[in-house]
Amino acid sequence: MDAISTDAADLHYSNLPPMLLAASSERAMMSAERSVIAAGFRVGARMPIELAAQRIGQQASATGLWVELDRDCGEAMGELLSKIRSDVSDGRYAAVISATSDLLDPLAALLDAGDIELIIDAEDSDRAAALAIASARRSMPLLLGDIRKRQ
């Protein structure tokens, strides 16, 4: 039979909320999208750096955010990184920031959070590893315990 199945139960989506992509150029966006899709994530939104902070604030739920930077985006980049630092520390989503080596110093100055994966001039394997670490970190529950109970 040459008919195409229209069975709605045949759809296969990840159970995870989507990944959001922010990039400083079209070329950077293509790199980000390639990395995220290769890891099996669904892309929920693609946005320029200048609109990303506002758009992220409107997102109900996201597995993570991938930011791809191939140039300094000035104040918009600083605003976005500040929002990411706050959101990641609050556990809203995981974050990977991929950038070129000329942005290392400004990014290091803006990102003091250890929970954000920062990769510089990364190869495909580095990108995959950073995304795996970030998403695994987000899915690990926060465990608290009273050390006095161990005695």
Side-chain angles (χ1 to χ4, degrees):
M1 176 177 220
D2 293 332
I4 296 174
S5 172
T6 58
D7 184 8
D10 195 29
L11 295 175
H12 300 286
Y13 290 111
S14 167
N15 290 335
L16 297 173
M19 291 286 291
L20 306 177
L21 308 179
S24 56
S25 69
E26 189 59 38
R27 182 177 177 182
M29 184 61 75
M30 290 183 343
S31 294
E33 189 169 11
R34 186 184 73 236
S35 297
V36 168
I37 290 174
F41 289 95
R42 181 171 51 100
V43 175
R46 296 162 188 81
M47 58 206 128
I49 297 300
E50 295 76 18
L51 301 177
Q54 178 184 1
R55 172 60 178 82
I56 291 165
Q58 298 169 349
Q59 184 74 25
S61 178
T63 294
L65 172 67
W66 185 288
V67 178
E68 191 80 29
L69 299 167
D70 58 6
R71 65 181 174 85
D72 189 331
C73 296
E75 189 177 319
M77 183 176 79
E79 179 185 335
L80 174 61
L81 295 177
S82 176
K83 174 151 188 59
I84 292 169
R85 189 176 59 229
S86 174
D87 287 353
V88 168
S89 69
D90 290 344
R92 280 198 65 212
Y93 50 78
V96 175
I97 298 174
S98 176
T100 56
S101 59
D102 57 317
L103 295 174
L104 178 58
D105 289 338
L107 289 175
L110 292 169
L111 296 172
D112 57 0
D115 291 344
I116 298 172
E117 293 300 312
L118 175 61
I119 53 177
I120 303 295
D121 292 333
E123 300 290 326
D124 286 343
S125 59
D126 301 319
R127 296 158 97 48
L131 188 53
I133 291 167
S135 59
R137 184 179 287 136
R138 182 173 188 309
S139 65
M140 291 189 309
L142 178 62
L143 299 176
L144 301 174
D146 187 349
I147 195 166
R148 292 179 294 173
K149 290 185 177 182
R150 293 183 187 167
Q151 296 174 351

